Amino acid sequence: MDIGMILLELFYTFFVIGMFTFGGGYAMLSLIQTQVVTHHQWIAESTFTDILAISQMTPGPIGVNCATYVGYEVMAGNAEGSPLLGILGSFTATFAIVLPSFLIVLALAFLYQKIRKNRVFEGVMGFLRPAVVGLIGAAALILMFHVQWDGTPLFSRCDFQLIKENFIDWKSWLLLFGSAFASFKFHLNPILIIIGAGVLGLLLY
């Protein structure tokens, strides 16, 4: 496939994700993973996990950061790829994912003061909040398990398989549970947990 077509697909994919995702960057992650890893197969599962880790550590919204890194990886990792094409891919994916939000917020800015106390608007928001929590939870599960549904929608069998690239040995599990414990038990700053996990990863691997 030529470079122009890949750029168009990249733009279209992230524009659709930006258009139809509610709840911010974390809610986008499951959609991004489905599109770039499963559907288009632009990058490997392990590469996507690395991108998420970097997106979390760098300043800015995680969804936008993820789009930037994915765009670079898709274009720079192409058979005809180069750092310059990677930068073009980053710009394309980032622009595409923020464009729908920019246009929608611009339009709603004129309407929000009139509709924010509307009962229909409040009802819609009440239904969207639980859906956002579900999308964030789905993003976490997608990084841990590969799920395959077999059969018809009403009589289907679900097959769970652990994604071994993300949990390669007992040290990976130790870092996972140790980070979760430090966060929930001691309420440590996420930045300290990330730095600590990076140092431990450097020592253990």
Side-chain angles (χ1 to χ4, degrees), residues 78-199:
N78 185 276
E80 302 174 20
S82 67
L84 187 60
L85 278 176
I87 293 171
L88 181 59
S90 290
F91 175 80
T92 300
T94 304
F95 179 69
I97 206 167
V98 301
L99 181 60
S101 298
F102 174 77
L103 296 176
I104 291 170
V105 169
L106 192 64
L108 288 179
F110 296 102
L111 301 173
Y112 181 71
Q113 291 301 323
K114 296 181 180 179
I115 67 172
R116 67 187 178 122
K117 294 184 179 180
N118 182 280
R119 292 180 62 186
V120 175
F121 179 75
E122 290 179 351
V124 170
M125 290 298 104
F127 275 99
L128 286 178
R129 291 185 193 105
V132 168
V133 174
L135 285 170
I136 294 172
L141 292 175
I142 282 171
L143 291 176
M144 295 179 67
F145 300 102
H146 174 70
V147 182
Q148 182 71 40
W149 294 90
D150 297 321
T152 62
L154 292 178
F155 302 98
S156 57
R157 182 177 63 86
C158 183
D159 180 32
F160 282 88
Q161 291 182 350
L162 183 71
I163 298 175
K164 294 180 180 179
E165 293 94 333
N166 294 343
F167 299 96
I168 54 177
D169 53 30
W170 63 270
K171 292 177 283 189
S172 299
W173 289 99
L174 185 64
L175 287 172
L176 169 67
F177 290 116
S179 300
F181 182 78
S183 178
F184 285 107
K185 179 67 175 177
F186 301 109
H187 305 288
L188 288 183
N189 189 304
I191 295 175
L192 295 178
I193 294 174
I194 290 169
I195 293 173
V199 171

